[in-house]
Amino acid sequence: MIARIIVDVSAKQTDRQFDYLVPPEYEPLATPGMRVVVSFGPRKVQGFILSIGQDSSISNDKLKALDSLTDLVPPLTTELIELSVWLKNHAVSNHISVLKSMLPSAMRANYRKHLILNDDVDCSESDREFLLKQFQDKPLLDWDDWYKHATTFEHKEMSRAINDGFVRVEPVVATGETTKTERHVRLIRDPKTSEEAFLTLAKRTKKQAEIVQWLSEQETDHYPLKQLSVSSSVIKGLEEKGWVEKTDVVIGRDPYEGREFKQTTNMELMAEQQEVFERILPAIEEERSEIFLLRGVTGSGKTEIYLQTIEKVLKKRKEAIMLVPEISLTPQMVTRFKERFGSRVAVLHSALSKGEKYDEWQRIRKGEVDVAVGARSAVFAPFQNIGMIIIDEEHEGSYKQEEEPRYHARDVAIKRAELYHCPVILGSATPSLESYARAVKGVYTLLEMERRVNDVAMPDVTIVDMKDELRHGNRSMFSDALIERMRNRIEKQEQIVLFLNRRGYSTFIMCRDCGYVAECPHCDISLTYHQPINQLQCHYCGYHHTVPHQCPECTSDAIRYFGTGTQKVEEELQEVIPEARVIRMDVDTTGRKGSHERLLSAFGNHEADILLGTQMIAKGLDFPDITLVGVLAADAMLHLPDFRASERTFQLLTQVSGRAGRHLKAGEVIIQSYTPEHYSIQDVTKHDFTGFFQKEMLMRKQAGYPPYYFLVLIHVSDEALDAAVLATEKIANYLKNNLSDQAKIYGPVASSIARIKDRYRYQCMVKYKIEPNLTETLRNLYQLFDGELNKGGLQVTVDTSPNMML
DNA sequence: AGCACGCCGACT
DNA sequence: GTCGGCGTGCTC
């Protein structure tokens, strides 16, 4: 029996199947999708069985047998294996990277080396002394741990001992899977059959008898120790007399342990919601892989539609996957799912510990749940009978993985839906241009909801031209209109959300006399000033430096701070409205686990009047007393070197505006901008998605960008500038010669940040409409550079669904 | 990717 | 003479 295996060695040359013999004792067990340990060259690595066969093209004497099976049940289903083959081609990625990204991190291999003392060796007295000192009584040493603490002399001595055969090195393949156990008490004597002994027990030790009696009345024979509220001496007494014993029982980690979720039932749907709901139902019933684009304005009740369609899916005894952007996987969202579906929901997101993620994943794999709610990677949830996949906030950038494999969760979801013949719902108030264009074209089914639940009015949006403010002599970052409105709301005890898309204190420092700007010595980017630690930081490589008091160029002391971050806004806010209570939310204040939730609930409890924050407050906030939203610098994103800059600006402004007046009180939004005439800002005031869509489509058509063309971005970096340029040139020429005449190839061009961590960055872009040999051609790119790529100097990455052009 | 094999320079 | 530099090529 032959197992065809993908090994965990991520390189172009090893990105193929290797055949191994299956030892006879494993033959009944070995199944595709299982992890195995194999000898690969001189070392041991993890691998995945792709398929089982009877013959191999490799001659039998060259075949090795696989070492061991890691799993009894394959973690990857046959469908996931099939999906992995599609995805590695689609994303031009190594197969192993795809397989690994389908599993929770705890199941990835962990490579260690053990040092083991050989028996019966004939070594000198001094060697013996050295080895005894190193090993003491331990049967083995972990190489990494030992190496860290040993001296250079000891390193030398040890490698000699290995060479002389006194010590051997054994490679070990481990995984990070752990289980959580709980101490239980088990009754080993029945008080009924040992009545006499029980009576004696009851006579002298009343408490112990009570416990025995109570345990004997329970359904199970073992019971969690910590739930028996008795002193440990009572249990100890019972143990000594042979009534009970303690055991460890494996329990699933429950990230929401101790939280009570009160069951909710379906809310009544509004007319628009009902109509949408009824359009989706037939696809579920008829098991069609139809793709719905649900565009519903903020507050139109998309989540309730998700919940009710999932309910229909569950009634058909099928499973549902619900994807949410990491950033909006808020407690509010999780609670809504838990309340509706109770213990049938598994939640997968980054705030869970490794072990919790692993247990939630196992619950899916074992079929203990039928709904998975999670961020991007939950698209690989190992269900086997998927009836529906939902992607909420479909336009969000976080659905794109920016590491290998560079995939977009939307593409994977659509592929899986095809395999399972089930519908997909893409939901958003501001769909991506690509998806909306497909819906308009009829590739997707377009469903729209223009009204908020209970007919709450859309907020009133006003744009303030900050150039005017400057002319009036207002140099602060708050316009007069915004200050006036904020005072008014605080008086009325209503709440305010202020949005600024930039953390830190200020963006850069500059010398007023000579124009010197502090830049990172390793990257072509200016350093950001962080006030609490009084340091200049590089956000790309982590370089930091104390702030100079004098200009390093001209020794002038006229150093000024430019640009504004959330820290500085908070400071100025205190000056302008001293009575305002402010909560600041950005990466710097929400770093610790649970702080996100804590700050939000504090705001919900009216412990502050103003919530000031970055991106992370744009979504999912739903508090009834927010009646004012202020956007401090609407054009911050507009001028980024990215063809999606306008789209992102419109989406963000719409999302933030949607935080205001969601309930009884009317909402108002103030947008401050230096380019108020831009359509991506203007259309927000009119809540006019389709208007924006048409204008932006025109721009994309003229510039030849998606949705009119597909893009591929090839990114090249090297320590040497000329090597990077040369390699990019080579790639561009190769593509010109091997793709059709319709494809347009641009480059080499320097990336917008031309150097990061001392590496020069160049790129080459392909625009195409139909290109049947694309993935094959892209795969062959790597052959242009055989050796150079191995040396580690040159790096080439291919992205078939690029997000940013940076 | 690792790791061994193999071929050249600077050292006890 | 040998130790160790890293270029080259292979892994079922």
Side-chain angles (χ1 to χ4, degrees), chain A residues 256 259 261-264 302-311 314 320-324 328-347 370-374 388 390-392:
Chain A
Y256 298 94
R259 288 262 305 267
F261 295 100
K262 53 173 190 286
Q263 176 100 33
T264 61
K302 292 185 287 290
T303 310
E304 187 59 31
I305 292 179
Y306 302 153
L307 291 168
Q308 296 198 19
T309 46
I310 290 174
E311 193 198 14
L314 300 192
I321 298 175
M322 166 89 196
L323 298 186
V324 197
S328 68
L329 199 51
T330 54
Q332 278 184 340
M333 182 63 116
V334 172
T335 303
R336 271 192 90 172
F337 273 79
K338 287 266 182 184
E339 284 177 344
R340 193 66 60 89
F341 302 115
S343 56
R344 301 172 80 176
V345 185
V347 178
D370 25 37
V371 181
V373 180
M388 159 85 77
I390 298 171
I391 306 187
D392 189 31

Side-chain angles (χ1 to χ4, degrees), chain A residues 87 232 267 301 326 530 544 611 631 689 774:
Chain A
L87 184 53
S232 61
M267 282 168 22
E326 186 72 68
H530 283 246
H544 50 86
L611 181 66
V631 179
F689 174 81
L774 185 75

Side-chain angles (χ1 to χ4, degrees), chain A residues 400-470:
Chain A
K400 172 66 196 305
Q401 177 151 78
E402 298 293 353
E403 291 134 45
E404 233 198 58
R406 287 169 224 283
Y407 67 90
H408 198 294
R410 192 200 295 133
D411 299 335
V412 178
I414 291 172
K415 184 67 190 177
R416 283 195 93 179
E418 222 173 277
L419 295 169
Y420 280 107
H421 309 288
C422 76
V424 174
I425 304 178
L426 308 175
S428 175
T430 52
S432 63
L433 247 70
E434 280 101 319
S435 295
Y436 198 77
R438 271 175 213 155
V440 169
K441 226 172 134 188
V443 183
Y444 301 164
T445 307
L446 183 60
L447 305 170
E448 299 189 284
M449 298 195 295
E450 300 284 2
R451 294 165 74 176
R452 286 180 149 184
V453 171
N454 298 328
D455 278 320
V456 172
M458 295 301 285
D460 218 359
V461 183
T462 314
I463 303 178
V464 176
D465 188 341
M466 290 305 274
K467 289 182 306 231
D468 285 347
E469 296 289 315
L470 267 179

Side-chain angles (χ1 to χ4, degrees), chain A residues 171-194:
Chain A
V172 189
V173 182
T175 68
E177 290 155 272
T178 56
T179 47
K180 190 177 173 183
T181 58
E182 196 176 52
R183 214 77 171 120
H184 279 223
V185 181
R186 184 204 305 277
L187 193 62
I188 45 181
R189 269 171 96 181
D190 186 349
K192 286 194 195 73
T193 53
S194 320

Side-chain angles (χ1 to χ4, degrees), chain A residues 83 104-105 142 151 622 679 787:
Chain A
L83 187 72
S105 60
D142 182 273
T151 62
D622 193 353
Y679 61 90

